Structures are given as C-alpha cells and as structure tokens.
Amino acid sequence: MVLKLFLLLSLLLLFSTAAYSQRRQPILSTSYYQKKCPRFEQIMQDATTNKQITSPTTAAATLRLFFHDCFMGGCDASVLISSTPFNKAERDADINLSLPGDGFDVVVRAKTAVELACPGVVSCADILAVAARNLVLMMGGPYYTVKLGRKDSLISKASYVEGNLPRPTMPMTQIIQIFTSRGFSIQEMVALSGAHTIGFSHCKEFSSILYNYSRNAQSDPAYNPRFAQALRNACADCNKNPTLSVFNDVMSPNKFDNMYYQNLQKGLGILSSDHTLNSDPRTKGYVELYSKNQNAFFVAFARAMEKLSVYGVKTGRKGEIRRRCDAFNNR
C-alpha cells in the first residue's frame, strides 16, 4: 500500500513538473494572430512590398537589422529602441551605427499600419521577423516559417553589445565561438553568412586589407588582383567620405542566390571574414557545397533562419507589446 502511494505521488510530481516546464517554454505559433489580428500577414506583405519597391536596399538592411537584433539577447526588437539622455541603447553601439535606415523604416511603416487595424496586439519583434522573411522571399530567396507571439524587450543597452556580434575583422575562431555559444553549428554559421548575397559593405570595414596590407602586397592576396584594384578605386575617398560602400556580391547584388559562395572561390569576397570563410578548413567545405548547390544553400539557410528567429524570444511578463517600436511603454 505504501509502495503504491509512493508511486502515485511520484507520477503526480512528474506530470506537474512536465506541465510547469511546458508552461515556461515560449509558446509561439504561426496562427498566433489569426483571431487577434486576422489581416496581419496581408498588412505585412503590403508594407514590405511597397517599401522594397520604393527603396531596393530595404531587404538587405532589414535582414542585417534582424541578425543584429537576434544575436544580442534574442529576437526581441531591442535594437529598435532609441537612446535617451538616461540610456544609450543598442542601436548606438559602435557596430550598429552603420545599420541602414531602411530596415528601421520598414518596421515603423508596418507597425503604423498594424496598429490602425489591431491596436496594442502585434509586437515589433514579430514585425521585424516577418519583414525579414518576406523580403528574403521577394529577392528570390527561400520561404521559411516564422512562428509568432514574441514580446518586445524591456531593456536595450549599448554597453552589452561589444563582443556579442561578429565583426569582419575578427579571427574565424572568435566568430565561430559567437555562433556556437548561441547553439548554432559551423554549418549554420556558413549558411547564415550567405545573407551577404545581397546588400553592401562600407569601405571602412575592409580598408585595412585593401590598402597598405603588408610590405610585399598593397592588398590582401586573397583578393583577385583586378578586383582589388577596382575596390581601391571605388573606395579611394573613404577617409573623407565614410559612407562609401560597395556591393557584397558584385555579380548579382539584387538577387538572393548562391553567387556569394562562388565569388569567394574566385577572390571576389569583400570582407576579411569572407576570405577566411573560404580558406579556413572548418568552413571551406560548406562554402564549396553551397557554391555548387543552390538548393542545398536554400534549405540550410531556411532552417538556420527558422532557428535564429526563435532564439532568445521573450514571452509573457518578460516583455511587452510596444506602442512605438523605438520606445519602451511608460512603466
């Protein structure tokens, strides 16, 4: 009798622990707004399409903004917060100062439209996640599922950013560590790097390997020599004009494809990290795979983006639904 009672109590404890654990897991769903905001997907489609047509750099800007948001404490729209006299926010951290305005603008436009239809229901974090997916698809990239129900962060501090986002000048070991510490494999890191198939980089981000590289070489020998000369010409005034930039993928800059990986093998990568991606034995094999097989790249990129989009999400009381994406609600 005592043994039966003990077993019964053990089972009850096991079930209650499992139920508690389930409740603590972030509950995201593709149908999260089906009843709360039934027109959400259509509003997002209209907002992202109109913005991309007006400003063709929007897709790359939004994708980069999404990466910088998610890798810094999770996909919670913390990067959208504006600084105040009392708080220097993430977007004013040194590495985020070059984030293009079009990424922020498409979120603001979508949020305004969504608020008119469903006030106080949809988070800025969900808007940014869906905008990034829609724009990748619009550029010819793969479709991937975005689950919904994220809350917006309650904190955003520039001081937390340094060292938590990969820089193109970092050694590959450090870049890998940033990804693996967040649960992403080296293969997923290489697949996500394929986002460089669209967008541009500022000359100042790679000028150190373009000019006065060494006593024996003006530029990094990993560059195709003619390409290096073309870059030196394009970036000649970068010290006077820090906004000077070049396309990450010079062959098909406005198409989401696997050309980025093909470029790396031809010495047409822009950044130091691009060159290392193609030379480091830990990453080179994946570069070769994706350069030959666009479908393999698309499948890997879609899976990695689905995984990234739920990284560190806030739900319940750990977040809020902001009224404005650039400011916390009054608390």
Side-chain angles (χ1 to χ4, degrees):
M1 183 67 185
V2 174
L3 182 60
K4 284 183 179 179
L5 185 62
F6 175 75
L7 288 171
L8 183 63
L9 286 170
S10 297
L11 283 170
L12 284 170
L13 181 63
L14 183 66
F15 284 129
S16 63
T17 303
Y20 176 71
S21 176
Q22 258 190 333
R23 285 197 302 272
R24 286 182 60 82
Q25 295 298 317
I27 301 170
L28 302 183
S29 164
T30 54
S31 60
Y32 189 82
Y33 295 118
Q34 199 168 341
K35 293 181 180 178
K36 298 177 180 180
C37 191
R39 292 192 59 245
F40 170 66
E41 292 285 358
Q42 187 57 54
I43 293 169
M44 285 300 304
Q45 190 62 56
D46 293 344
T48 50
T49 301
N50 291 338
K51 176 63 180 172
Q52 177 65 20
I53 290 170
T54 307
S55 305
T57 59
T58 299
T62 307
L63 192 51
R64 187 175 172 213
L65 185 65
F66 182 64
F67 283 142
H68 281 231
D69 182 46
C70 294
F71 261 63
M72 192 49 245
C75 306
D76 57 8
S78 54
V79 75
L80 302 179
I81 291 292
S82 294
S83 295
T84 69
F86 310 103
N87 179 55
K88 186 179 180 182
E90 273 178 41
R91 67 192 290 175
D92 285 323
D94 180 59
I95 196 171
N96 286 335
L97 292 176
S98 61
L99 288 172
D102 284 327
F104 294 96
D105 188 56
V106 72
V107 174
V108 170
R109 291 184 185 208
K111 176 66 169 175
T112 302
V114 168
E115 284 296 302
L116 288 171
C118 322
V121 171
V122 180
S123 69
C124 301
D126 276 347
I127 287 172
L128 177 55
V130 173
R133 189 273 312 278
N134 288 0
L135 289 161
V136 165
L137 192 63
M138 194 173 174
M139 296 295 285
Y143 175 88
Y144 57 90
T145 301
V146 176
K147 292 183 178 180
L148 304 166
R150 297 165 190 76
K151 291 287 183 71
D152 298 323
S153 72
L154 302 173
I155 191 169
S156 176
K157 291 193 176 293
S159 59
Y160 293 173
V161 174
E162 189 57 43
N164 283 302
L165 288 171
R167 289 181 178 272
T169 53
M170 285 178 174
M172 185 52 66
T173 296
Q174 189 176 355
I175 295 175
I176 289 173
Q177 194 276 329
I178 288 174
F179 278 84
T180 56
S181 67
R182 288 159 175 76
F184 292 89
S185 67
I186 293 175
Q187 182 169 8
E188 287 168 334
M189 180 196 78
V190 178
L192 290 172
S193 298
H196 283 164
T197 184
I198 56 175
F200 55 85
S201 292
H202 289 95
C203 292
K204 62 181 181 181
E205 294 181 88
F206 56 92
S207 60
S208 63
I209 61 169
L210 193 58
Y211 302 103
N212 304 316
Y213 180 73
S214 70
R215 286 183 180 181
N216 302 319
Q218 190 171 2
S219 300
D220 185 344
Y223 281 123
N224 174 293
R226 289 176 63 187
F227 183 56
Q229 184 59 58
L231 288 177
R232 285 196 295 270
N233 293 341
C235 295
D237 292 327
C238 66
N239 289 330
K240 296 177 184 176
N241 182 4
T243 63
L244 275 179
S245 57
V246 295
F247 288 119
N248 290 324
D249 173 1
V250 293
M251 304 304 288
S252 57
N254 297 312
K255 186 180 179 185
F256 197 101
D257 55 20
N258 68 334
M259 189 60 71
Y260 165 74
Y261 299 105
Q262 295 179 36
N263 290 343
L264 297 190
Q265 296 180 313
K266 298 171 184 174
L268 303 179
I270 298 290
L271 305 169
S272 176
S273 54
D274 292 335
H275 300 162
T276 314
L277 210 62
N278 185 53
S279 61
D280 192 291
R282 293 167 291 184
T283 55
K284 184 178 175 66
Y286 298 122
V287 171
E288 291 175 353
L289 170 64
Y290 298 148
S291 71
K292 294 174 185 174
N293 190 332
Q294 181 168 282
N295 186 59
F297 164 49
F298 276 16
V299 169
F301 182 82
R303 286 177 180 167
M305 285 297 287
E306 286 180 1
K307 182 174 175 178
L308 177 64
S309 70
V310 297
Y311 174 72
V313 297
K314 313 297 185 292
T315 57
R317 294 181 181 178
K318 292 182 179 178
E320 64 182 8
I321 305 293
R322 286 185 209 141
R323 288 185 285 274
R324 290 177 45 142
C325 290
D326 64 349
F328 300 119
N329 296 341
N330 293 328
R331 295 192 293 272

Coordinates of all heavy atoms in Angstrom, one line a residue, residues 30-44 114 117-119 121-122 148:
T30 N 2.3 29.8 -35.7 CA 2.1 30.5 -36.9 C 0.7 31.1 -37.0 O 0.5 32.1 -37.8 CB 2.3 29.6 -38.1 OG1 1.4 28.4 -37.9 CG2 3.7 29.1 -38.3
S31 N -0.2 30.6 -36.2 CA -1.6 31.2 -36.1 C -1.9 32.1 -35.0 O -3.0 32.3 -34.6 CB -2.6 30.0 -36.1 OG -2.4 29.2 -35.0
Y32 N -0.8 32.6 -34.4 CA -0.9 33.4 -33.2 C -1.9 34.6 -33.3 O -2.6 34.9 -32.4 CB 0.5 33.9 -32.7 CG 0.5 34.6 -31.4 CD1 0.6 33.8 -30.2 CD2 0.5 36.0 -31.3 CE1 0.6 34.4 -29.0 CE2 0.5 36.6 -30.0 CZ 0.6 35.8 -28.9 OH 0.6 36.4 -27.6
Y33 N -1.9 35.2 -34.5 CA -2.7 36.4 -34.7 C -4.0 36.1 -35.5 O -4.6 37.1 -35.9 CB -1.9 37.5 -35.4 CG -0.7 38.1 -34.6 CD1 0.6 37.9 -35.0 CD2 -0.9 38.7 -33.4 CE1 1.6 38.4 -34.3 CE2 0.1 39.2 -32.6 CZ 1.4 39.0 -33.1 OH 2.5 39.5 -32.3
Q34 N -4.2 34.9 -35.7 CA -5.4 34.5 -36.6 C -6.7 35.1 -36.1 O -7.5 35.6 -36.9 CB -5.5 33.0 -36.6 CG -6.3 32.5 -37.8 CD -6.2 31.0 -38.0 OE1 -5.3 30.3 -37.5 NE2 -7.1 30.4 -38.7
K35 N -6.9 35.2 -34.8 CA -8.1 35.8 -34.3 C -7.9 37.2 -33.8 O -8.8 38.1 -33.9 CB -8.7 34.9 -33.1 CG -9.2 33.5 -33.6 CD -9.7 32.7 -32.4 CE -10.3 31.4 -32.9 NZ -10.7 30.5 -31.8
K36 N -6.7 37.4 -33.2 CA -6.4 38.8 -32.7 C -6.2 39.8 -33.7 O -6.5 41.0 -33.5 CB -5.1 38.7 -31.8 CG -5.3 37.8 -30.6 CD -3.9 37.7 -29.8 CE -4.0 36.8 -28.6 NZ -2.6 36.8 -27.9
C37 N -5.6 39.4 -34.8 CA -5.3 40.4 -35.9 C -5.3 39.6 -37.3 O -4.2 39.4 -37.8 CB -4.0 41.1 -35.7 SG -3.7 42.5 -36.8
P38 N -6.5 39.2 -37.8 CA -6.6 38.4 -38.9 C -5.9 38.9 -40.2 O -5.5 38.1 -41.0 CB -8.1 38.2 -39.1 CG -8.7 39.3 -38.3 CD -7.8 39.6 -37.2
R39 N -5.7 40.2 -40.3 CA -5.2 40.8 -41.5 C -3.6 41.0 -41.4 O -3.0 41.6 -42.2 CB -5.9 42.1 -41.9 CG -7.3 42.0 -42.3 CD -7.8 43.2 -43.0 NE -7.0 43.7 -44.1 CZ -6.3 44.8 -44.1 NH1 -6.3 45.6 -43.1 NH2 -5.7 45.1 -45.2
F40 N -3.1 40.5 -40.3 CA -1.6 40.8 -40.0 C -0.7 40.4 -41.2 O 0.1 41.3 -41.6 CB -1.2 40.1 -38.8 CG 0.3 40.1 -38.5 CD1 0.9 41.3 -38.2 CD2 1.0 38.9 -38.6 CE1 2.3 41.3 -38.0 CE2 2.4 38.9 -38.4 CZ 3.1 40.1 -38.1
E41 N -0.9 39.2 -41.7 CA 0.0 38.8 -42.8 C -0.1 39.6 -44.0 O 0.9 40.0 -44.7 CB -0.2 37.3 -43.1 CG 0.2 36.3 -42.0 CD 1.7 36.1 -41.9 OE1 2.4 36.7 -42.7 OE2 2.1 35.4 -41.0
Q42 N -1.4 40.0 -44.4 CA -1.6 40.8 -45.6 C -1.0 42.2 -45.4 O -0.5 42.8 -46.3 CB -3.1 40.9 -45.9 CG -3.4 41.6 -47.2 CD -2.7 40.9 -48.4 OE1 -2.9 39.7 -48.6 NE2 -2.0 41.7 -49.2
I43 N -1.2 42.8 -44.2 CA -0.7 44.1 -43.9 C 0.8 44.1 -44.0 O 1.5 45.0 -44.6 CB -1.1 44.6 -42.5 CG1 -2.6 44.8 -42.5 CG2 -0.4 45.9 -42.1 CD1 -3.2 45.0 -41.0
M44 N 1.5 43.0 -43.5 CA 2.9 42.9 -43.6 C 3.4 42.8 -45.0 O 4.4 43.4 -45.4 CB 3.4 41.7 -42.8 CG 3.4 41.9 -41.2 SD 4.4 43.3 -40.7 CE 6.0 42.8 -41.4
V114 N -0.3 48.2 -38.9 CA -0.8 47.1 -38.0 C -1.6 47.8 -36.8 O -2.7 47.3 -36.4 CB 0.3 46.2 -37.5 CG1 -0.2 45.3 -36.4 CG2 0.9 45.4 -38.6
A117 N -5.1 48.7 -37.6 CA -6.0 47.6 -37.7 C -6.2 46.9 -36.4 O -7.3 46.4 -36.1 CB -5.5 46.6 -38.8
C118 N -5.2 46.7 -35.6 CA -5.2 45.9 -34.4 C -4.4 46.6 -33.3 O -3.2 46.2 -33.0 CB -4.7 44.5 -34.6 SG -5.1 43.8 -36.2
P119 N -4.9 47.7 -32.7 CA -4.1 48.4 -31.7 C -3.6 47.5 -30.5 O -4.4 46.8 -29.9 CB -5.0 49.5 -31.2 CG -6.2 49.5 -32.1 CD -6.2 48.2 -32.8
V121 N -1.7 44.9 -30.2 CA -1.8 43.4 -30.3 C -0.5 42.8 -30.8 O 0.0 41.8 -30.3 CB -2.9 43.0 -31.2 CG1 -2.9 41.5 -31.5 CG2 -4.3 43.4 -30.6
V122 N 0.1 43.4 -31.8 CA 1.3 42.9 -32.5 C 2.6 43.5 -32.0 O 2.7 44.7 -32.0 CB 1.2 43.0 -34.0 CG1 2.4 42.4 -34.7 CG2 -0.1 42.4 -34.5
L148 N 5.0 33.1 -34.4 CA 4.7 34.4 -33.9 C 4.3 34.3 -32.4 O 3.9 33.3 -31.9 CB 3.5 35.0 -34.7 CG 3.8 35.1 -36.2 CD1 2.5 35.4 -37.0 CD2 4.9 36.2 -36.5

